[in-house]
């Protein structure tokens, strides 16, 4: 069993930045971030491979968000710049314990965090 603890969410004006962190209690392989806005389905945001060499981004965030990981700390990060009101959502960290690649498929992930709220105001 792997527990994921997220931090770093909050309220920011449009154009601002936030950095999310997700600490895992055990070894993980691929890790990712998803988000869910009110009334909408959960959607893929970004993913990083087990080695950290490969990343994958949703079109809506490409060029603004950066995913990274520190395997020594079992932690993945999401740096979010130039935030827009449409980025407002609950952000969830996800971890796989067997899939290596930077996958956008939620079914590849075995564990999920509790979610952290990100709100960007206009």
């Amino acid at each position: 069993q792997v527990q994921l603890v997220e931090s770093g969410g909050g309220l920011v004006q449009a154009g601002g930045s936030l950095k999310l962190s997700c600490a895992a209690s055990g070894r993980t392989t691929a890790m990712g971030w998803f988000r869910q806005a009110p009334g909408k389905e959960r959607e893929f945001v970004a993913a990083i491979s087990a080695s950290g060499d490969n990343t994958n981004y949703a079109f809506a965030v490409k060029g603004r968000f950066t995913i990274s990981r520190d395997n020594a700390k079992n932690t993945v990060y999401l740096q979010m710049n130039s935030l827009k009101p449409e980025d407002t959502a609950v952000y969830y960290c996800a971890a796989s314990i067997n899939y290596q690649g930077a996958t956008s498929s939620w079914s590849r992930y075995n564990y999920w965090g509790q979610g952290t709220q990100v709100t960007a105001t206009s």
Side-chain angles (χ1 to χ4, degrees):
Q1 188 81 4
V2 175
Q3 292 186 326
L4 303 175
V5 179
E6 299 142 336
S7 60
L11 178 67
V12 65
Q13 287 191 330
S17 298
L18 284 173
K19 186 174 184 177
L20 305 182
S21 299
C22 173
S25 62
R27 188 189 70 85
T28 61
T29 54
M31 296 192 76
W33 290 94
F34 291 73
R35 68 186 181 186
Q36 188 167 19
K40 295 188 176 181
E41 292 187 351
R42 190 171 299 192
E43 64 176 4
F44 169 72
V45 176
I48 190 165
S49 62
S51 65
D53 290 344
N54 294 300
T55 56
N56 184 11
Y57 296 94
F59 179 80
V61 307
K62 194 171 292 187
R64 299 187 297 122
F65 291 11
T66 302
I67 189 170
S68 61
R69 67 188 296 163
D70 183 340
N71 285 341
K73 296 181 179 179
N74 289 335
T75 300
V76 65
Y77 306 97
L78 186 68
Q79 177 67 48
M80 305 184 292
N81 298 330
S82 302
L83 282 160
K84 303 176 181 179
E86 50 264 44
D87 294 318
T88 295
V90 177
Y91 283 68
Y92 296 90
C93 174
S96 177
I97 56 172
N98 46 40
Y99 194 77
Q100 301 292 322
T103 180
S104 61
S105 175
W106 65 267
S107 64
R108 296 283 191 178
Y109 295 97
N110 307 101
Y111 298 101
W112 294 82
Q114 78 286 356
T116 186
Q117 177 71 44
V118 171
T119 303
T121 61
S122 58

